[in-house]
Amino acid sequence: MLATSPKRALITGITGQDGSYLAELLLSKGYEVHGVVRRASSFNTGRIEHLYDDPHVQDRRLVLHYGDLHDGTGLFNLILSLEPDEIYNLGAQSHVRVSFDQPVYTVDVVAMGTLRVLEAARLLQRSKPVRVYQASSSEMFGRVAETPQRETTPFRPRSPYACAKVYSFHQVVNYREAYGLFACNGILFNHESPRRGETFVTRKITRAATRIREGLQDKLFLGNLDAKRDWGYADDYVEAMWLMLQQDEPDDFVVATGETHSVREFLELAFRQVGLPWRQFVEIDPRYLRPSEVDLLLGDASKAREELGWQPRTGFKELVRLMVEADWELARREAVMGRRKAA
């Protein structure tokens, strides 16, 4: 009996937080995983380096390809030559505050990048079936029309990033309805982990709390402490991405915990874990305030629970604990290295 070939997946943004966890998940399921990485003068694959130490990866295959969501021709050539069974479009300029400073770049990568992926998938579909996952965002809800937010809640985006994500969302629906493409939007609410970028508020807090505790930093500067978010664990959320592409029919799903917490709550938990009073070390800096703020996001993931069988496994306090522990270990290593250099 002939062995069946493994499923082949292509991930844009594989070196990011979500891409690294998704790659782990797909490899564990026997996929052949291909990732798109931007060419740079320094290595930016730190989040996935450990996968090459896994003795099973050689059998399952993890392959990286240079590419960019700006480059439609390159994406077309890559997708049509690889012929993936599943495409996960996670690549983006995903920092909301930065999108106000670089709106044109953000919109080109996030909105037009998605369109380039969808068009390549449409062309591939002529020769073989392909399924596409699009990383949509709770930021699309913006100044929310209702709480909690669900799949039917109107979008009211409040940033260039969110506007670009709304465009991408509707293009996915359009390609699904116009061309019969199996394409899904995962409307993921905030999801964090020790692999979160250090410029995002949660990781900024856990890095600062642990570095202050180890004497490596004096102050933490933040923006709006009263903003409330529905925070989950990225490792839980990538499972929902995969489940969406295993269904009989494509659809759109909110992925969230159904709980909301403020930046202030996150701050208090993180500093408490390292035994420090946060008010002595935190200052508000207007540079970190958005021109238009999204005050409250709270997701209703009932549809994902009922149709995908998905639910979050990691609570808010456990998430903060995981992030603080990882960053504390990192801070301790930094402190040791600093002492060695000073000796």
Side-chain angles (χ1 to χ4, degrees), residues 54-88:
D54 185 336
H56 302 293
V57 164
Q58 281 192 337
D59 297 331
R60 303 175 195 145
R61 299 198 65 199
L62 173 61
V63 183
L64 301 182
H65 306 264
Y66 287 126
D68 197 308
L69 288 171
H70 283 295
D71 178 12
T73 301
L75 282 173
F76 282 25
N77 290 338
L78 179 60
I79 289 171
L80 294 177
S81 62
L82 281 179
E83 296 189 335
D85 301 289
E86 297 172 3
I87 300 172
Y88 295 85

Side-chain angles (χ1 to χ4, degrees), residues 206-207 209-211 213-214 273-275 322-334:
T206 58
R207 280 286 282 148
T210 54
R211 294 185 86 250
R213 184 67 178 82
E214 294 300 319
Q273 190 167 329
V274 298
L322 287 170
M323 293 181 67
V324 170
E325 284 188 354
D327 275 332
W328 207 348
E329 178 60 30
L330 182 60
R332 290 187 182 110
R333 291 203 300 267
E334 286 183 85

Side-chain angles (χ1 to χ4, degrees), residues 27-41:
L27 288 168
S28 75
K29 294 181 179 297
Y31 278 65
E32 177 184 313
V33 176
H34 295 257
V36 178
V37 297
R38 285 178 298 171
R39 178 72 177 91
S41 59

Side-chain angles (χ1 to χ4, degrees), residues 201-254:
V201 67
T202 52
R203 186 77 195 288
K204 190 175 177 182
I205 289 170
T206 58
R207 280 286 282 148
T210 54
R211 294 185 86 250
I212 291 169
R213 184 67 178 82
E214 294 300 319
L216 299 169
Q217 185 171 329
D218 298 321
K219 290 286 184 180
L220 168 61
F221 296 94
L222 294 173
N224 182 12
L225 302 188
D226 296 317
K228 293 183 177 180
R229 296 290 184 268
D230 184 327
W231 274 306
Y233 184 30
D235 196 23
D236 294 344
Y237 282 33
V238 297
E239 182 184 21
M241 300 177 187
W242 175 76
L243 286 168
M244 288 179 210
L245 297 195
Q246 313 313 309
Q247 304 306 300
D248 293 333
E249 299 293 335
D251 207 344
D252 308 317
F253 295 88
V254 163

